[in-house]
Amino acid sequence: MKGIIFPLEGKNSSNSGTKNQNGSKMTKSSNPFDIIVVGAGPGGAGAAIHARQNGYSVCLIEKEKMNLSGRYKACGGAIDWKMVEVLSYPEEKIERVINTLELHHFDGESYSKKGTGAVVWRSVFDKYLTEKAVERGAKCKENEPLLTIKKQDHLYEISTTKGRYQAKYVLAADGVSSPTLRKLKWPRFVKEDLIMTVTEEIRLNKQKIEHDLGKNSLHLFFSIKGLSHLGYGWLFPKNQHLTVGWGNQLIRVKNATKEFNALLNLPMVRTCLKNSTIERIKGHLIPVGIRPQIWNENVYAIGDAGGFVDPISGKGIPYAIQSGQIAINTIKQCENKDLLDNQGQYYEETLDKTFLQILRKKKNARDRIYQNDQTLKQFLALWEKYRSSEIVRRGLI
Ligand SMILES: Cc1cc2nc3c(=O)[nH]c(=O)nc-3n(C[C@H](O)[C@H](O)[C@H](O)COP(=O)(O)OP(=O)(O)OC[C@H]3O[C@@H](n4cnc5c(N)ncnc54)[C@H](O)[C@@H]3O)c2cc1C
């Protein structure tokens, strides 16, 4: 996995001394932090770890409580096995090990893609990363939504429901609707780049999951009769749960419930969901195009806030982590070379080289793939054999 660079064995070794300390009860920070990260998803928590590994003082502000019942993120939770290894993600926190991606076309054809991965609960995964950041000296302010952000002289001041914090740099890692960037009046995503999703978390007997879906398989459903023009439906089995999801381009969605029900009514899905219990249902947006602005005056857009998501698969966790790390590296490089005015250019160029270029190409490829059933099936047959980035890079579609 190109770009993920922190090994998570042991504690921080490069510089564990916090430059500035903030007490948890103070309402105004007397000593500003170097960096405030807003949002403790994979982008924010990963950035906080990397910032500490590079000796920066960090305040990680999260609106939700980070306990397992408090914070829910609608997500399939599928990650590559390489990520499990690089993050030293404990196997006991994995819900299911995966080795096959079953790609079903509505008219009955299916394709089987091999590759090892894991399915995790995001509450568990994000908490793990946040704890690693705290172990390395980041201050975590959970259950404290950002309310305001303003710049005074050379510092940003952020107020939350509980306090006020200052820092020279701000990383907006607060998701697709980023309150930080909204308050700073940054340009929004273009509507065509937003995918509307619906997720249901279903409690289901483990044996039934394995009987109906196989022990180690994820299932994707394409071309659900006229209803998922630029997207697909999915069944992601966890241990005793099944995550059922559907996504389509927001501007095309007429009736999300009806369209989601079309997925639930597919024979395979209906059989699998028999006698199950719905525990949660949630809508969420996925940004599949880059925000028109991703840096300005020491503020960085990270992960979903920047629109760093694979437009074909909807995969965003690795890009969130990588963009957080690239932002920290940018700060460090530009400080070392006394080139702070070049941060925006450096950030964008490094993102470009690491993954943005290929994500942009994938967006064009996606439109070709979803032209009609024939092009879609052609892609599914190729995807069975190659990584989607390889298909796009080699111009196979
Ligand atoms: C239905 C669905 C399924 C998906 N499945 C997969 C998958 O299987 N694999 C994959 O790789 N990607 C998947 N993705 C994409 C992935 O979830 C995102 O790309 C990823 O979560 C982005 O991480 P992030 O850290 O940028 O943002 P987020 O994970 O959205 O984290 C943002 C954080 O900011 C916090 N926050 C928001 N507002 C405030 C505020 N005012 N103050 C403080 N904190 C705030 C939130 O509580 C949250 O913790 C899926 C997305 C969806 C919607």
Side-chain angles (χ1 to χ4, degrees):
M1 203 177 30
K2 194 173 155 193
I4 290 192
I5 43 185
F6 49 72
L8 277 183
E9 296 292 347
K11 297 215 174 180
N12 178 29
S13 56
S14 62
N15 184 347
S16 58
T18 315
K19 284 183 182 169
N20 305 306
Q21 291 283 338
N22 264 31
S24 58
K25 292 218 170 105
M26 69 197 317
T27 52
K28 184 169 164 69
S29 54
S30 49
N31 293 312
F33 291 94
D34 295 322
I35 301 169
I36 291 177
V37 181
V38 188
I49 294 170
H50 197 55
R52 289 299 305 132
Q53 285 174 324
N54 282 281
Y56 291 106
S57 60
V58 186
C59 182
L60 180 58
I61 294 174
E62 168 55 48
K63 85 169 158 54
E64 306 284 344
K65 241 182 151 28
M66 292 298 292
N67 62 23
L68 302 186
S69 55
R71 186 175 169 283
Y72 171 79
K73 169 78 174 75
C75 183
I79 55 175
D80 280 356
W81 194 257
K82 269 196 189 146
M83 183 180 282
V84 171
E85 289 173 348
V86 177
L87 299 179
S88 304
Y89 194 67
E91 292 203 21
E92 69 273 11
K93 292 185 191 291
I94 291 173
E95 283 289 308
R96 194 170 283 269
V97 175
I98 295 302
N99 56 31
T100 312
L101 192 57
E102 301 290 354
L103 311 167
H104 307 271
H105 190 276
F106 180 77
D107 69 10
E109 282 184 40
S110 63
Y111 311 79
S112 201
K113 183 176 176 58
K114 299 291 170 203
T116 311
V119 178
V120 299
W121 282 117
R122 283 290 305 278
S123 50
V124 179
F125 183 78
D126 295 5
K127 190 172 192 290
Y128 170 77
L129 289 181
T130 301
E131 282 169 358
K132 294 290 164 195
V134 171
E135 274 172 24
R136 283 159 176 75
K139 296 285 169 199
C140 179
K141 308 289 177 182
E142 58 179 293
N143 204 12
E144 281 199 48
L146 164 141
L147 297 178
T148 64
I149 172 166
K150 57 183 182 209
K151 196 173 182 201
Q152 274 180 341
D153 303 322
H154 63 291
L155 286 179
Y156 282 94
E157 182 172 285
I158 284 178
S159 72
T160 68
T161 44
K162 294 184 188 158
R164 274 187 287 160
Y165 310 99
Q166 291 179 317
K168 183 169 176 186
Y169 303 99
V170 174
L171 269 52
D174 43 357
V176 57
S177 45
S178 181
T180 307
L181 301 182
R182 240 181 18 235
K183 304 233 179 268
L184 289 170
K185 301 201 174 359
W186 280 29
R188 290 163 184 243
F189 291 108
V190 290
K191 280 194 186 134
E192 287 75 9
D193 286 344
L194 293 172
I195 300 288
M196 162 91 205
T197 65
V198 178
T199 302
E200 253 182 30
E201 301 295 356
I202 311 273
R203 178 133 194 120
L204 205 56
N205 178 291
K206 187 175 173 179
Q207 283 73 33
K208 179 157 171 59
I209 294 179
E210 293 177 0
H211 175 266
D212 292 347
L213 298 176
K215 199 163 182 253
N216 309 103
S217 300
L218 301 182
H219 296 260
L220 307 188
F221 299 87
F222 293 85
S223 206
I224 309 165
K225 238 187 176 170
L227 290 179
S228 57
H229 175 76
L230 272 183
Y232 55 84
W234 60 89
L235 295 181
F236 280 19
K238 294 188 162 96
N239 187 16
Q240 307 258 25
H241 287 82
L242 184 63
T243 302
V244 184
W246 160 88
N248 198 7
Q249 201 178 19
L250 179 66
I251 52 164
R252 290 178 187 268
V253 177
K254 293 194 184 80
N255 181 334
T257 311
K258 188 171 155 217
E259 297 180 24
F260 183 66
N261 283 339
L263 168 70
L264 300 184
N265 281 327
L266 294 181
M268 182 176 175
V269 181
R270 223 180 27 229
T271 308
C272 187
L273 296 186
K274 224 175 183 175
N275 303 324
S276 63
T277 318
I278 301 174
E279 285 196 347
R280 195 188 286 265
I281 178 155
K282 190 143 197 262
H284 204 284
L285 293 174
I286 306 184
V288 291
I290 292 130
R291 190 186 278 270
Q293 179 178 312
I294 55 174
W295 181 90
N296 191 37
E297 294 188 359
N298 292 356
V299 179
Y300 291 76
I302 307 296
D304 276 17
F308 308 145
V309 179
D310 185 322
I312 294 178
S313 66
K315 174 169 85 174
I317 296 170
Y319 305 116
I321 296 179
Q322 287 177 61
S323 57
Q325 294 178 332
I326 291 170
I328 301 300
N329 291 346
T330 303
I331 293 170
K332 193 173 177 191
Q333 288 290 329
C334 293
E335 280 187 344
N336 286 348
K337 294 182 182 160
D338 206 11
L339 286 172
L340 286 180
D341 288 346
N342 289 10
Q343 287 174 85
Q345 189 188 345
Y346 186 98
Y347 183 51
E348 188 149 1
E349 280 176 7
T350 318
L351 288 174
D352 223 51
K353 274 186 259 165
T354 318
F355 61 76
L356 275 194
Q357 228 172 60
I358 192 73
L359 292 191
R360 286 195 180 101
K361 282 189 180 160
K362 279 190 175 183
K363 199 173 145 196
N364 294 333
R366 181 202 60 183
D367 295 340
R368 291 196 296 277
I369 291 165
Y370 282 93
Q371 258 173 69
N372 54 50
D373 271 351
Q374 200 190 339
T375 50
L376 182 54
K377 283 184 197 172
Q378 200 186 336
F379 169 71
L380 295 178
L382 284 165
W383 204 18
E384 192 177 43
K385 297 194 198 87
Y386 306 104
R387 295 179 75 86
S388 60
S389 47
E390 201 181 341
I391 298 171
V392 171
R393 207 173 275 127
R394 289 171 54 186
L396 300 178
I397 192 99

